[in-house]
Amino acid sequence: MGSAHLSYTFEAIALGIMCAVIVFDLLWVVHRPHIPTMRECTIWVGIYVTAALIFGGVLALVANGQVATEFYAGWLTEYSLSVDNLFIFVIILSRFRVPPNRQQEVLMIGIIIALVLRGIMILIGAGLIARFSWIFFLFGFFLIWTAISLIRSHGEDEEYKENFAIRALRKVLPIHNEYDGMKLRTVIDGKKMWTPMLVVILALGSTDLLFALDSIPAIFGLTKDPFVVFSTNLFALMGLRQLYFLLGGLLDRLVYLPYGLAVILAFIGMKLIFEAMHTNSLPFINGGKPIEWAPHVPIAVSLGVIAGVLLITTVASLIASRREKHVPSLSDR
């Protein structure tokens, strides 16, 4: 269903252009598999970030400031969650020793899988919200639980552990331990075998699914407009491949990012619960009547909180990393 402020024509054209950009990025990687330079990555990330900022301005012109603010808040949240997703991508590509010249293609496959899974989850989420307003209670508590889990797991040794699906796959299929380009199957000594690329893609797909379970309730806590939800996810995925190579070792320096994401998810979770209280129809809560005293959090406040938390955690992370870097070791004393 289209937004009350945007025409179906505008939405269709905008989504078409965004999808075309991602497809172009995929075809570019297939045509020129290489290890991108820092300059190349910086330029492309800058282009995609600028495009998102401009698109928000376009939304303000063709719709209103409310829609634009929802987009900016959702984009910042989805983009920060995508950066967190990169942590796991780094671990997966390292764990399976993906050749450096093939990492771009593997990352692009992971991004396409994420795009498809998030699209499915958005459609499911929009359908549930349209039929059951109380679903915000579940979304809210789920985000708060996710925030608590982020804080509890922070500081633990980051090591990728194969899930049940991958372990079962290894038992059923003959998988060789050497890559053959991007091929999923190869011939070894006259025998057809699967390559590790199959396992890598499955690992990325299952990881994308877990992150979709977090990101979709988060974005619906900021906007109910399916078009804004789709566009924030598309812009969050644009340039993620280049961002992977650009950040590189910087990911290890963002030590407080999980705490920042935990605060953001908990904040949005509470916002969802307050929204559910306003539209409450569950008979065992307040007799099935809306709870009038529940506070309403304006989208402008949400944007300020999200931007502020990300800025504080990023600056604090870089300061902490710089201090740790300059602390002399025992051998230096």
Side-chain angles (χ1 to χ4, degrees), residues 49 68 165 180 198 221 250 280 322:
V49 169
D180 185 5
L198 176 68
L250 186 61
N280 176 58
R322 182 173 297 178

Side-chain angles (χ1 to χ4, degrees), residues 32-311:
R32 293 183 67 248
H34 67 290
I35 302 174
T37 63
M38 291 293 290
R39 181 176 180 274
E40 177 185 344
C41 292
T42 302
I43 291 174
W44 279 107
V45 170
I47 290 174
Y48 286 130
V49 169
T50 302
L53 296 175
I54 293 175
F55 184 73
V58 172
L59 290 179
L61 292 175
V62 300
N64 55 40
Q66 171 82 7
V67 175
T69 306
E70 289 178 0
F71 170 79
Y72 284 133
W75 172 65
L76 278 176
T77 301
E78 294 297 314
Y79 202 69
S80 58
L81 287 170
S82 295
V83 171
D84 193 45
N85 202 349
L86 288 181
F87 281 98
I88 307 300
F89 280 4
V90 168
I91 295 171
I92 290 175
L93 297 186
S94 174
R95 163 68 175 78
F96 293 105
R97 296 182 178 85
V98 177
N101 64 325
R102 294 295 177 183
Q103 289 185 5
Q104 277 210 97
E105 295 167 280
V106 173
L107 283 170
M108 205 61 212
I109 291 174
I111 292 170
I112 295 298
I113 295 174
L115 182 61
V116 173
L117 289 177
R118 291 188 188 191
I120 294 172
M121 296 294 287
I122 289 170
L123 292 175
I124 294 174
L128 289 173
I129 290 170
R131 294 190 62 184
F132 311 106
S133 61
W134 52 262
I135 200 72
F136 278 159
F137 278 118
L138 296 183
F139 282 177
F141 286 118
F142 175 73
L143 289 182
I144 293 173
W145 175 80
T146 302
I148 295 172
S149 299
L150 269 176
I151 294 175
R152 284 181 174 178
S153 62
H154 184 58
E156 297 178 358
D157 292 335
E158 292 285 353
E159 182 179 351
Y160 179 76
K161 297 179 181 178
E162 295 184 356
N163 55 38
F164 171 79
I166 294 178
R167 293 196 302 270
L169 189 71
R170 288 189 180 278
K171 292 180 180 180
V172 175
L173 299 178
I175 300 176
H176 196 251
N177 56 5
E178 295 292 336
Y179 290 92
D180 185 5
M182 289 297 296
K183 293 181 180 178
L184 298 180
R185 299 200 73 182
T186 187
V187 177
I188 305 295
D189 297 329
K191 181 181 179 182
K192 285 188 177 181
M193 297 188 71
W194 296 90
T195 71
M197 192 61 68
L198 176 68
V199 181
V200 172
I201 292 175
L202 181 59
L204 291 175
S206 56
T207 299
D208 284 332
L209 178 60
L210 292 176
F211 274 89
L213 293 176
D214 293 341
S215 65
I216 299 308
I219 186 61
F220 274 117
L222 299 169
T223 178
K224 299 182 185 68
D225 188 334
F227 170 75
V228 177
V229 175
F230 270 112
S231 58
T232 54
N233 273 270
L234 286 169
F235 272 107
L237 292 175
M238 287 181 190
L240 196 60
R241 171 178 62 84
Q242 293 89 346
L243 190 63
Y244 169 88
F245 293 97
L246 178 62
L247 293 179
L250 186 61
L251 285 173
D252 294 332
R253 298 172 61 187
L254 298 176
V255 292
Y256 295 130
L257 179 61
Y259 292 115
L261 290 176
V263 171
I264 291 172
L265 291 178
F267 170 77
I268 298 176
M270 288 304 304
K271 188 174 184 293
L272 280 168
I273 292 174
F274 290 149
E275 179 72 18
M277 293 167 70
H278 275 291
T279 59
N280 176 58
S281 60
L282 297 175
F284 53 86
I285 298 179
N286 197 38
K289 300 178 181 178
I291 302 174
E292 302 294 342
W293 57 262
H296 172 71
V297 183
I299 188 62
V301 173
S302 299
L303 177 58
V305 169
I306 293 167
V309 169
L310 289 176
L311 178 62

